[in-house]
Amino acid sequence: MKNFVEDWSGRFNPWAWNLIIVISAVVIGLVVKFIIKAILNYNKKHTDYSLFLSAVKNFSRPMNHFVPLFMLNLMEPLMILSPRYDLILTRTVEMALIVSFAVVLMSAMNVFEDYIYHTFDLNKEDNLKERKIRTQIQFIRKVLGTLIVFITIAIILLSFDNVRKIGAGLLTGVGIGGIIIGFAAQKSLGNLLAGFQIAFTQPIRIDDVLVVEGEWGRVEDITLTYVVLKIWDQRRLILPINYFIEKPFQNWTRTSSEILGTVFLYLDYNTPVDALRVEFERLLATTELWDKRVHGIQVTDAKVNCIELRVLVSAHNSSNAFDLRCYIREQLIKFIKDNHPESLPLNRLVMNDDGLRQTAIPPANT
């Protein structure tokens, strides 16, 4: 085989032969790309997840440059070059191949992440386990991605003799340098360590419902250094990751998404509370927002000119609880206005010798 290649290489000018080698590598890469694209188009009609389809989607672009570079690296010894240009080409192809392989590794992580996301789907009522796994996977993926980038840069730099010599000299002062860097980057390192703590102790998880700095929202993303909270009105609150280690906050989905909601009504002392309870139970029976766990109406306070009624309901999650509270509040107010308007808050006046005087004294029959 070697003699055959040498015979053919002797029939061409060196530049023409080298061009043939480069074109052959590119053509092989294009053929592989065409095959991958054909497979992808064939499976495009399948909307369900499959590991094969995920691999095809994620590896299709990296293979466009990895395969030609790999083939060029294999075929480079067949090229006719002077020692100087041969060294330059070899180093260039090797560095490009290292970068391309790093991209392939990133794509492999995407395939694994797709598999985890399919296996642990968040689109279910009780998704506590899924949120735990996704939080850990997202953090580990970011850490591995950062390591791949740093290792790739290190391998490329260490391929140069001069850089290796400098690196050997710097190792003697690595202790002092490490201390200096540690003091300079202690906040960044603190955030990174906080990220590890959050990923595995999990005071917060992806899709958790939090109340932070007076804002209600869901955890949209957890990075190595900060957390993105998607506020209910589609704003984003960005917080350093160590905030959730050092400061208090509310997590409404720490162990489950079930939650209680309250509605407060301020009514007159003449309010027929029993009639309100009957209407309240009727309203709950007509809505799917209530999870049938907890319900009740109680008089929780007697103020100077009105009584305070607390309506307690339960729901599967905070979104349903908010909608249910609004629904109950609207319907009970409508019921009171239509059937017991005398129950609305009243201001009473008392006649005396000095004339009219406003008073907040409750009616005598209470």
Side-chain angles (χ1 to χ4, degrees):
M1 181 66 179
K2 182 178 180 181
N3 293 332
F4 175 78
V5 173
E6 290 178 351
D7 291 341
W8 269 92
S9 63
R11 301 180 184 182
F12 298 93
N13 291 329
W15 64 270
W17 175 251
N18 294 339
L19 186 60
I20 291 173
I21 296 297
V22 173
I23 292 175
S24 300
V26 173
V27 168
I28 292 173
L30 291 175
V31 170
V32 173
K33 175 184 177 181
F34 175 79
I35 294 173
I36 293 175
K37 187 175 180 180
I39 295 173
L40 184 60
N41 289 334
Y42 177 77
N43 287 277
K44 190 181 294 184
K45 61 185 178 214
H46 301 292
T47 56
D48 295 337
Y49 168 85
S50 72
L51 186 61
F52 172 75
L53 187 58
S54 176
V56 170
K57 287 181 178 179
N58 285 285
F59 285 121
S60 58
R61 287 187 177 180
M63 288 302 170
N64 290 343
H65 47 78
F66 179 76
V67 175
L69 287 171
F70 181 73
M71 295 305 303
L72 184 60
N73 188 57
L74 293 178
M75 299 170 67
E76 190 271 336
L78 303 177
M79 301 177 70
I80 304 173
L81 296 169
S82 64
R84 178 185 176 186
Y85 289 109
D86 183 62
L87 179 62
I88 293 174
L89 180 62
T90 301
R91 288 287 177 84
T92 303
V93 172
E94 285 179 353
M95 288 189 291
L97 189 60
I98 290 170
V99 174
S100 180
F101 183 68
V103 175
V104 171
L105 289 180
M106 294 283 196
S107 300
M109 290 196 302
N110 291 337
V111 173
F112 179 71
E113 190 176 36
D114 286 347
Y115 172 76
I116 295 296
Y117 280 15
H118 172 72
T119 305
F120 300 96
D121 188 9
L122 288 178
N123 296 322
K124 57 170 63 176
E125 194 68 39
D126 186 9
N127 58 5
L128 178 61
K129 180 180 179 181
E130 286 73 15
R131 290 186 286 112
K132 286 182 178 180
I133 298 298
R134 285 203 179 195
T135 301
Q136 292 174 344
I137 288 298
Q138 280 201 12
F139 187 81
I140 291 172
R141 178 182 177 276
K142 290 179 173 66
V143 171
L144 290 178
T146 304
L147 288 176
I148 289 173
V149 171
F150 277 111
I151 291 173
T152 301
I153 295 173
I155 291 174
I156 292 174
L157 292 177
L158 290 174
S159 64
F160 297 96
D161 294 335
N162 292 335
V163 175
R164 282 203 300 269
K165 292 177 182 178
I166 294 173
L170 289 176
L171 286 176
T172 58
V174 69
I176 298 175
I179 294 173
I180 294 173
I181 293 173
F183 277 112
Q186 55 183 325
K187 286 189 176 181
S188 298
L189 292 174
N191 277 332
L192 183 61
L193 294 176
F196 277 106
Q197 186 175 347
I198 283 177
F200 293 99
T201 62
Q202 296 193 337
I204 61 172
R205 309 179 189 89
I206 296 296
D207 206 43
D208 264 352
V209 176
L210 308 182
V211 177
V212 184
E213 300 290 325
E215 299 283 3
W216 181 96
R218 291 182 179 273
V219 178
E220 186 177 51
D221 192 16
I222 301 176
T223 71
L224 298 179
T225 56
Y226 63 87
V227 174
V228 180
L229 190 69
K230 184 178 180 181
I231 308 301
W232 65 272
D233 57 1
Q234 299 186 348
R235 291 176 294 139
R236 265 65 173 181
L237 181 63
I238 312 297
L239 296 163
I241 199 165
N242 59 3
Y243 177 96
F244 297 94
I245 302 298
E246 300 174 352
K247 296 186 178 181
F249 60 93
Q250 295 182 40
N251 188 336
W252 290 7
T253 52
R254 179 68 180 87
T255 56
S256 71
S257 60
E258 296 174 339
I259 194 170
L260 299 181
T262 56
V263 174
F264 288 96
L265 298 175
Y266 297 92
L267 303 172
D268 190 74
Y269 276 78
N270 290 319
T271 301
V273 179
D274 290 336
L276 280 183
R277 289 194 176 101
V278 173
E279 175 64 12
F280 172 57
E281 293 182 358
R282 187 192 70 80
L283 292 173
L284 290 179
T286 61
T287 178
E288 295 180 355
L289 297 172
W290 182 49
D291 64 0
K292 298 178 175 58
R293 288 189 302 117
V294 178
H295 75 287
I297 292 183
Q298 292 177 305
V299 178
T300 54
D301 197 1
K303 299 181 183 296
V304 175
N305 57 354
C306 66
I307 59 173
E308 178 187 82
L309 268 67
R310 187 191 69 177
V311 182
L312 187 65
V313 290
S314 61
H316 287 301
N317 54 59
S318 55
S319 298
N320 284 357
F322 180 81
D323 292 339
L324 180 58
R325 289 166 58 203
C326 293
Y327 171 74
I328 293 298
R329 184 184 295 112
E330 292 171 4
Q331 295 302 316
L332 286 182
I333 290 175
K334 182 177 182 299
F335 173 78
I336 294 169
K337 185 181 69 173
D338 293 343
N339 298 276
H340 302 280
E342 71 282 358
S343 299
L344 297 174
L346 300 174
N347 288 324
R348 293 177 171 80
L349 299 175
V350 176
M351 297 291 296
N352 58 23
D353 296 338
D354 298 329
L356 292 177
R357 180 171 63 88
Q358 182 174 324
T359 182
I361 300 173
N365 61 355
T366 60

